[in-house]
């Protein structure tokens, strides 16, 4: 399988270990983005919570800004323009007019403009068996729209389905994005170490296989200043479910060359996206219950 170079471009994932000081996180992220751009990547993705890993609601609210005033966003827009790349910032906390905060992903165009925004749909509110508790809805309000973005990394026409972290567990979202035309799926994350060890690889590969699309998942990794562990293992996965690039637990950049012609080849082999059928769910009663109803 393969295609002419017209369908190919180089991609990169930036893996981070963000802390509680935005300025320090920006220095780390910028250095790795520059490394990725100098390595030839024309689509670069960073993790969820690129500029701040903080769990205390008041400390989050005191540091995030409205989109038009966001220092992190301004820094990243300048970087996209400097290198002429598609820079996908996995997410930033952004304060809305009502004071509530969105966990927002930004796709930045090569001229530094904002090409697309996506607010995380699903909130991670959970008590884990190891005693860790997460209440994402304490800090953020969920989005209400799925987003499909058009982009041209390396001059290649692509369509990117934008999601974030916990969205990964909602398979219907990914099928809908693929049917709408996505040939690339973004899943920037800050997956916990506990759940990542159990589910990260299998869920990411499943999303790629189910959609027949490339999956790009930049993530946080390691022990953070707030005392929480994230799993790392940023990955780029082919439409056939092959892992093309994978990080470990430490901050780094990983690269993979992408051939979008492979998407159509894989979908032609297994055209599951066109074979879906409407159905109803029948709840079958045990035979003895059915007999009792008939007798009455």
């Amino acid at each position: 399988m393969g295609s002419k170079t017209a369908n190919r471009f180089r991609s990169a994932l930036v893996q981070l270990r963000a802390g509680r000081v935005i300025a320090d996180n920006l220095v780390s992220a910028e250095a790795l983005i520059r490394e990725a751009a100098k390595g030839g990547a024309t689509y670069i993705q960073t993790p969820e919570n690129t500029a701040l890993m903080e769990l205390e609601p008041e400390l989050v609210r005191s540091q995030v800004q409205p989109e038009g005033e966001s220092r992190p966003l301004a820094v990243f827009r300048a970087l996209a323009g400097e290198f002429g790349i598609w820079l996908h910032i996995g997410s930033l906390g952004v304060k809305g007019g009502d004071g509530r905060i969105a966990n927002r992903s930004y796709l930045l165009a090569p001229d530094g403009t904002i090409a697309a925004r996506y607010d995380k749909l699903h909130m991670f509110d959970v008590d884990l068996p190891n005693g860790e508790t997460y209440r994402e809805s304490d800090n953020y309000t969920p989005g209400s729209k799925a987003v499909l973005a058009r982009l041209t990394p390396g001059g290649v026409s692509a369509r990117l389905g934008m999601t974030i972290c916990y969205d990964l567990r909602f398979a219907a979202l990914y099928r809908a994005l693929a049917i709408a035309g996505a040939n690339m799926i973004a899943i920037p994350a800050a997956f916990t170490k506990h759940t990542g060890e159990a589910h990260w690889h299998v869920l990411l590969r499943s999303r790629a296989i189910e959609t027949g699309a490339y999956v790009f998942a930049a993530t946080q990794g390691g022990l953070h200043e707030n005392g929480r562990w994230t799993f790392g293992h940023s990955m780029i996965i082919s439409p056939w479910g092959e892992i093309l690039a994978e990080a470990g637990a430490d901050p780094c950049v990983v690269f993979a060359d992408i051939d979008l012609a492979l998407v159509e080849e894989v979908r032609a082999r297994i055209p599951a996206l066109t074979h879906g059928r409407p159905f109803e769910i029948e709840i079958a009663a045990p035979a003895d219950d059915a007999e009792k109803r008939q007798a009455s």
Side-chain angles (χ1 to χ4, degrees):
M1 293 188 293
S3 71
K4 297 179 181 179
T5 56
N7 293 305
R8 297 177 181 175
F9 64 93
R10 193 159 211 223
S11 65
L13 304 180
V14 168
Q15 183 162 293
L16 299 173
R17 186 177 295 153
R20 308 175 84 170
V21 179
I22 289 178
D24 293 344
N25 296 331
L26 291 182
V27 170
S28 300
E30 179 174 347
L32 290 174
I33 290 168
R34 288 183 177 278
E35 179 182 332
K38 290 175 182 177
T42 53
Y43 169 77
I44 300 170
Q45 184 190 112
T46 68
E48 180 183 28
N49 299 326
T50 290
L52 179 67
M53 282 286 286
E54 178 58 73
L55 297 174
E56 296 297 328
E58 291 307 315
L59 293 178
V60 172
R61 294 188 184 100
S62 67
Q63 295 188 73
V64 300
Q65 300 167 299
E67 182 176 286
E69 302 171 20
S70 172
R71 171 61 179 162
L73 183 57
V75 167
F76 296 133
R77 290 182 64 177
L79 276 172
E82 177 183 345
F83 287 102
I85 54 174
W86 289 90
L87 180 55
H88 186 173
I89 302 304
S91 83
L92 301 173
V94 181
K95 190 176 293 183
D98 59 359
R100 297 194 297 173
I101 302 170
N103 190 358
R104 183 169 297 167
S105 189
Y106 287 95
L107 179 65
L108 305 177
D111 62 358
T113 58
I114 299 171
R117 301 168 176 83
Y118 165 72
D119 290 354
K120 187 176 181 180
L121 280 171
H122 301 98
M123 298 288 100
F124 188 55
D125 290 351
V126 66
D127 299 311
L128 296 176
N130 65 355
E132 290 183 289
T133 296
Y134 293 85
R135 290 289 179 271
E136 193 170 20
S137 60
D138 286 349
N139 290 329
Y140 301 100
T141 185
S144 59
K145 295 181 180 179
V147 174
L148 181 66
R150 295 183 179 274
L151 64 162
T152 53
V156 177
S157 179
R159 296 173 301 281
L160 178 71
M162 299 174 68
T163 72
I164 300 172
C165 199
Y166 189 49
D167 289 334
L168 175 60
R169 296 186 180 274
F170 298 84
L173 171 61
Y174 296 89
R175 182 175 180 86
L177 286 167
I179 290 173
N183 52 12
M184 295 167 47
I185 299 289
I187 315 176
F191 233 67
T192 71
K193 187 174 186 290
H194 181 77
T195 56
E197 288 172 343
H199 299 152
W200 180 246
H201 287 77
V202 68
L203 285 174
L204 286 177
R205 294 188 67 201
S206 295
R207 298 296 88 88
I209 293 166
E210 291 164 356
T211 62
Y214 281 94
V215 164
F216 300 86
T219 187
Q220 302 278 352
L223 177 61
H224 298 262
E225 285 181 317
N226 61 16
R228 300 300 176 97
W229 286 89
T230 50
F231 183 56
H233 293 271
S234 299
M235 285 195 287
I236 301 171
I237 303 174
S238 82
W240 195 245
E242 299 168 303
I243 297 173
L244 303 179
E246 180 176 357
D250 294 327
C252 66
V253 178
V254 295
F255 296 89
D257 293 320
I258 305 302
D259 180 0
L260 287 183
L262 182 60
V263 173
E264 299 308 318
E265 293 180 31
V266 166
R267 290 177 178 177
R269 284 185 181 187
I270 304 178
L273 291 175
T274 64
H275 287 171
R277 300 184 64 242
F279 57 87
E280 297 178 355
I281 295 177
E282 175 183 323
I283 300 176
D288 56 345
D289 288 352
E291 290 171 0
K292 289 177 183 177
R293 288 199 301 270
Q294 188 175 13
S296 62

